[in-house]
Amino acid sequence: MPTRIGEVIESTSTGFTAGAYELLAAPPFGALVRAQARAEGSAVYGLVYDIRTGSKEPGGRALVRGRTYSGRELYDAEIYHEHPDLAEVLQTEFSAITVGFAEGGRVRQYLPPQPPPVHYSVYECGDDELIGFSEHTDFFRTLLFAYQIPSDELLAAVIRAAARARGAGEREYLVYAGREVASLLKDDYDRLTAILRRVRP
């Protein structure tokens, strides 16, 4: 049974934001995540494109903690060790663009009828789930023509992750994915070559 990593705190037809249960423990940029849908056995798939950590208070900001009142200097992870209360005042969140959904045992790579409900569970997909989802590349078009997200970087990141998950089949998948991207961007050589440079092993 996969471990849930957070819950939906904001949801729209095209994406969702989740709060991570552990501070600084968001899935990486480009990770495939699955949010539980209202219907039993249904889920919404998204790709993580934004990760942020900040104050839980609306409009609040984190305070400097690297120097104590006694003048002692604290660095990086030391700060979290010396101030365990940070887990209570800070929250890590991540946003994902919706790239498909599962319903009735089938995965479809287009927008679901409804977004995942707020407070429903979010899971990071394992290699097997990522491999299964990335067998089809209809979601490439969704990413390439998405606005207000780093779409080219996101597409390259998910292609790299899906290729790594295949182990010995990594190179074969990179070639397959590269051809699919090339067919979508045949009229934009500069953009195509920039993406292909980012997916080279």
Side-chain angles (χ1 to χ4, degrees):
M1 186 73 180
T3 303
R4 63 179 183 163
I5 55 173
E7 64 186 63
V8 177
I9 57 174
E10 188 175 300
S11 184
T12 71
S13 297
T14 57
F16 55 90
T17 297
Y21 286 138
E22 266 189 69
L23 189 63
L24 307 179
F29 177 83
L32 182 69
V33 293
R34 172 171 39 85
Q36 179 61 43
R38 286 184 69 185
E40 188 70 30
S42 298
V44 176
Y45 286 101
L47 289 170
V48 175
Y49 70 86
D50 186 50
I51 303 164
R52 57 199 173 276
T53 299
S55 173
K56 287 183 178 179
E57 294 296 318
R61 296 188 71 181
L63 303 174
V64 172
R65 300 285 188 111
R67 183 174 290 163
T68 66
Y69 290 115
S70 63
R72 181 176 163 224
E73 299 282 338
L74 300 173
Y75 291 88
D76 308 325
E78 269 186 310
I79 295 172
Y80 290 89
H81 180 72
E82 289 290 319
H83 299 282
D85 60 303
L86 288 176
E88 301 301 318
V89 297
L90 298 178
Q91 177 168 291
T92 297
E93 301 174 2
F94 55 94
S95 294
I97 179 174
T98 298
V99 288
F101 65 102
E103 185 179 59
R106 292 184 59 194
V107 173
R108 297 170 170 85
Q109 292 187 355
Y110 50 87
L111 292 178
Q114 292 286 335
V118 169
H119 296 306
Y120 273 44
S121 302
V122 178
Y123 304 85
E124 184 175 358
C125 297
D127 285 351
D128 289 346
E129 202 166 2
L130 175 58
I131 289 170
F133 187 86
S134 59
E135 284 295 325
H136 300 285
T137 58
D138 294 340
F139 72 97
F140 283 14
R141 178 179 291 277
T142 301
L143 296 183
L144 287 172
F145 299 103
Y147 297 99
Q148 298 179 326
I149 67 167
S151 54
D152 292 4
E153 293 284 353
L154 185 59
L155 178 58
V158 72
I159 289 173
R160 291 193 304 266
R164 277 194 309 269
R166 285 167 165 80
E170 178 178 5
R171 180 168 174 71
E172 185 181 343
Y173 184 78
L174 288 174
V175 171
Y176 164 67
R179 286 178 177 153
E180 293 295 309
V181 176
S183 71
L184 292 168
L185 293 177
K186 57 182 177 289
D187 297 325
D188 193 341
Y189 179 77
D190 290 343
R191 190 178 181 194
L192 170 62
T193 53
I195 293 172
L196 294 180
R197 278 198 300 270
R198 286 166 169 78
V199 301
R200 282 179 189 153

